[in-house]
Amino acid sequence: DAKTTQPNSMESNEEEPVHLPCNHSTISGTDYIHWYRQLPSQGPEYVIHGLTSNVNNRMASLAIAEDRKSSTLILHRATLRDAAVYYCILSQASQGNLIFGKGTKLSVKP
Amino acid sequence: NAGVTQTPKFQVLKTGQSMTLQCAQDMNHEYMSWYRQDPGMGLRLIHYSVGAGITDQGEVPNGYNVSRSTTEDFPLRLLSAAPSQTSVYFCASSSQGSGTGQETQYFGPGTRLLVL
């Protein structure tokens, strides 16, 4: 299974942008890059996903490197409610399973 | 839609006892799965199902059984609980959709299990 590497933790100030990096050097051509987050004492929730092009939705933006070996989840204005563990996951075609790493624990300071 | 629901929220068991964790979804999703999460760790896949009557093992299946008699329900059975099974258990579902890897998974709120 293709793996991802993320920093263990990051800190941000409230209302500032946050860039969460993810390395996936062994990604295959058909792997989608998914981001999920897990708020304290809750189940994971979907944030965003992409294949090659940058993606935007109401929660975040996903910037994917041209060689697809890394990506960055961008929270444009962090709020206290964004404090969570963020998981970068590669999702393979015809595979329903998600392989979770330890993710990045994001702390947001007021 | 209620989404993915799990019961119970909390459970304490003694070693050797058996129990069933319930999971239900009302989104008509074909794919359902069970994960466990130990402190400070990511989620690990226990069992999954791609449709009624079809189940398969994930990364850590030992000590757990599943069955899928309906699209909506996917119970997880602990046959003889052990302290090593103390964990938080999450159920998830997704539509198989195109099978391209784009499918979004929806997670339940979790069941916290303590085995003494």
Side-chain angles (χ1 to χ4, degrees):
Chain A
D1 293 319
K3 293 187 176 178
T4 62
T5 304
Q6 300 177 253
N8 288 335
S9 62
M10 291 185 65
E11 268 192 359
S12 170
N13 293 319
E14 198 176 11
E15 299 192 3
E16 290 186 355
V18 181
H19 291 231
L20 297 164
C22 181
N23 287 323
H24 28 78
S25 58
T26 59
I27 191 170
S28 74
T30 56
D31 288 345
Y32 277 81
I33 302 159
H34 285 245
W35 284 81
Y36 283 73
R37 73 178 186 180
Q38 187 174 21
L39 301 171
S41 300
Q42 294 189 26
E45 64 174 348
Y46 168 81
V47 177
I48 200 167
H49 78 277
L51 184 64
T52 56
S53 304
N54 295 344
V55 184
N56 299 299
N57 67 21
R58 63 175 182 81
M59 289 181 71
S61 296
L62 177 59
I64 301 172
E66 196 169 334
D67 64 5
R68 302 214 321 128
K69 293 186 176 182
S70 65
S71 61
T72 302
L73 178 71
I74 303 165
L75 307 179
H76 295 286
R77 288 180 72 232
T79 70
L80 297 178
R81 292 175 59 185
D82 291 322
V85 178
Y86 288 78
Y87 296 99
C88 169
I89 301 166
L90 301 183
S91 181
Q92 300 171 314
S94 299
Q95 274 269 352
N97 308 326
L98 298 177
I99 308 298
F100 284 82
K102 293 185 179 181
T104 296
K105 183 174 183 178
L106 175 66
S107 302
V108 180
K109 296 184 292 185
Chain B
N1 286 351
V4 179
T5 58
Q6 292 184 237
T7 56
K9 286 187 170 58
F10 304 96
Q11 184 70 48
V12 179
L13 289 179
K14 294 181 180 178
T15 297
Q17 286 184 316
S18 63
M19 79 159 294
T20 300
L21 280 63
Q22 301 292 345
C23 174
Q25 51 91 10
D26 61 358
M27 297 173 281
N28 201 33
H29 284 167
E30 298 95 338
Y31 178 88
M32 295 185 74
S33 57
W34 276 102
Y35 293 85
R36 63 176 286 174
Q37 185 173 35
D38 300 320
M41 304 290 289
L43 281 70
R44 291 185 292 169
L45 184 67
I46 304 172
H47 285 285
Y48 64 98
S49 168
V50 298
I54 306 169
T55 64
D56 206 346
Q57 296 181 349
E59 181 187 355
V60 288
N62 291 342
Y64 307 95
N65 270 2
V66 292
S67 60
R68 184 97 179 270
S69 56
T70 67
T71 300
E72 295 78 19
D73 301 299
F74 190 43
L76 178 72
R77 281 183 288 278
L78 279 70
L79 307 173
S80 177
S84 60
Q85 293 178 303
T86 293
S87 190
V88 182
Y89 292 84
F90 292 101
C91 179
S93 75
S94 72
S95 62
Q96 281 294 94
S98 58
T100 62
Q102 296 193 71
E103 295 77 18
T104 296
Q105 289 209 22
Y106 297 84
F107 286 83
T111 293
R112 284 155 180 75
L113 177 67
L114 173 62
V115 182
L116 301 175

